[in-house]
Amino acid sequence: MSNTRAAITGIAGFLPEKVLTNQDLEKIVDTTDEWITTRTGIKERRILKDGLGPSDMAAPAIEALLEKTQTTKDEVDLILFATVTPDLVFPATANITADKVGIKNAFGFDINAACSGFMYALNTGAKYIETGNCKKVIVAGFDKMSSIIDYQDRATCVIFGDGGGAVMLEPSTEGNGIIDAVLKSDGAGRHHLHQKAGGSVKPPTEATVAAREHFVYQEGQPVFKSAVNNMADVSRRIMERNALSPADISYLIPHQANLRIIDATRRAMNLPEEKVTINIERYGNTTNGTIPLCLMEWEKEFKKGDNIVLAAFGGGFTWGSILLKWAY
Ligand code: UT7
């Protein structure tokens, strides 16, 4: 086994300017700021303009990432794009983004693992680096959730928002980088969280549009219970398997779906509140965007060699945990 690991060497994100507050939502559906805040922890979220897609958020973020990591466009080998709201059904948003940035020497593809997609993509990118197949891999996680949210359904529309971020992965022989990953999926959970129409089984028709089947369908309670149990389980597992005590972990970076799920994961890992990154109050659940946006906002706090645990749960069901050592 080579001792080369894939290290994150830079991060950049994008947040649309338009803010949708709980007070705005009070005027659209039968809800209150008090309910949303106590049940989810969210105060506001960002909304991307009509006519734009994840590639329009990713392109400026990737340009900033190239600048920050002093990488030329020709040096990029691979772009992995985690999203559930691709610009188009095909081709991949990875390819559309590469074209918008002017990256010509890379290959790329999309990864759809709902809210765990960024972690799946990060682990996939790490394998291309560890094997020596690639030297510079961009892993992007962006979603325009507002494009598939039913703003008549108060139980889901209050949760989601738009945004995301991208990281650069490069080889490191210093012992830093992605150390371990526990990734899981269970298709039986799909019934609780999915989009009913728009795929090949039920292509768009006037009837599917009238039945509002192109929006996110979520049964909150079963998803909540599975998220709490499974995020806690994989996060404890990654600690055990790497012989890490709570004191050894500098930060937990959880998917931002619900403050109560984040808190349950933190307690299962026996971590103090200050070791957990939380920005759900400002952005809500941006699906593939939550973990990179946390990485972006806490980047300045991280120190070389810090043990950082990522954890997520989402549609599929998919879930998992990644342990990495910060490299800069
Ligand atoms: O990232 C992808 C994975 N997704 C998740 O992790 C989401 C997991 N689920 C959740 O976060 C929570 O289940 C929700 C936030 C979606 C819902 O919270 P909850 O505490 O599970 O509420 P509930 O669905 O059990 O509903 C409780 C009550 C219901 O009223 P009744 O039947 O008790 O009269 C709902 O109709 O709250 C009502 N309700 C609302 N009331 C005001 C649901 N949404 C709202 C709302 N405002 N926005």
Side-chain angles (χ1 to χ4, degrees):
M1 268 278 283
S2 105
N3 61 358
T4 300
R5 285 193 176 132
I8 294 176
T9 56
I11 166 96
F14 182 94
L15 287 157
E17 275 172 27
K18 186 179 168 192
V19 176
L20 182 69
T21 64
N22 290 353
Q23 287 72 23
D24 295 330
L25 284 166
E26 282 177 353
K27 294 178 197 134
I28 302 171
V29 286
D30 180 15
T31 191
T32 59
D33 171 48
E34 202 267 333
W35 191 95
I36 303 170
T37 306
T38 52
R39 304 309 289 168
T40 71
I42 302 165
K43 297 299 262 184
E44 56 186 49
R45 61 295 286 145
R46 300 298 179 95
I47 304 293
L48 188 66
K49 278 186 197 147
D50 286 348
L52 298 181
S55 72
D56 298 298
M57 297 191 277
I62 289 174
E63 274 163 16
L65 180 67
L66 294 177
E67 172 78 25
K68 213 168 148 181
T69 56
Q70 297 285 292
T71 306
T72 66
K73 290 171 188 173
D74 285 351
E75 286 177 310
V76 179
D77 298 307
L78 168 61
I79 301 176
L80 296 172
F81 205 114
T83 188
V84 292
T85 52
D87 283 29
L88 301 168
V89 172
F90 77 92
T93 308
N95 304 144
I96 299 170
T97 305
D99 182 54
K100 286 185 178 172
V101 178
I103 292 172
K104 303 281 183 204
N105 280 338
F107 72 109
F109 54 94
D110 290 0
I111 289 183
N112 178 346
C115 297
S116 312
F118 182 78
M119 290 204 320
Y120 277 41
L122 194 65
N123 196 47
T124 305
K127 300 303 161 200
Y128 278 96
I129 298 273
E130 287 165 17
T131 54
N133 192 272
C134 293
K135 293 272 180 275
K136 291 186 191 279
V137 175
I138 292 174
V139 181
F142 290 85
D143 269 301
K144 184 188 181 184
M145 293 307 292
S146 62
S147 67
I148 54 166
I149 292 303
D150 184 351
Y151 288 95
Q152 293 182 10
D153 173 7
R154 67 176 182 173
T156 53
C157 74
V158 300
I159 302 170
F160 293 97
D162 304 338
V167 298
M168 181 70 76
L169 283 181
E170 294 182 68
S172 166
T173 49
E174 292 184 346
N176 294 322
I178 289 152
I179 310 285
D180 195 11
V182 181
L183 301 179
K184 299 282 189 186
S185 60
D186 177 4
R190 70 189 185 282
H191 304 292
H192 303 300
L193 179 52
H194 60 272
Q195 196 175 316
K196 291 185 185 299
S200 58
V201 172
K202 220 183 208 195
T205 61
E206 282 180 22
T208 62
V209 172
R212 310 187 76 75
E213 290 181 339
H214 295 275
F215 295 120
V216 171
Y217 169 84
Q218 174 168 265
E219 294 161 6
Q221 290 277 330
V223 179
F224 184 90
K225 279 185 198 135
S226 291
V228 166
N229 292 335
N230 289 313
M231 267 172 74
D233 179 55
V234 288
S235 304
R236 271 195 308 250
R237 195 127 39 111
I238 212 153
M239 286 175 76
E240 277 163 23
R241 155 163 143 168
N242 293 278
L244 293 174
S245 71
D248 297 323
I249 295 172
S250 300
Y251 286 97
L252 164 68
I253 303 189
H255 170 52
Q256 314 277 305
N258 186 316
L259 195 51
R260 292 180 290 146
I261 299 173
I262 295 173
D263 211 44
T265 308
R266 176 187 70 77
R267 278 187 271 109
M269 295 170 76
N270 212 4
L271 292 177
E273 281 178 12
E274 61 271 18
K275 288 193 175 183
V276 186
T277 64
I278 296 172
N279 57 17
I280 191 172
E281 71 283 0
R282 282 171 287 139
Y283 312 130
N285 182 351
T286 54
T287 303
N288 285 284
T290 61
I291 290 177
L293 284 172
C294 280
L295 286 170
M296 177 184 83
E297 293 201 328
W298 269 264
E299 181 192 25
K300 287 195 176 66
E301 310 293 323
F302 302 151
K303 289 184 217 63
K304 199 169 177 175
D306 274 355
N307 286 314
I308 296 176
V309 173
L310 317 179
F313 181 90
F317 288 149
T318 58
W319 68 100
S321 187
I322 285 183
L323 169 67
L324 58 88
K325 271 190 190 291
W326 198 248
Y328 61 97

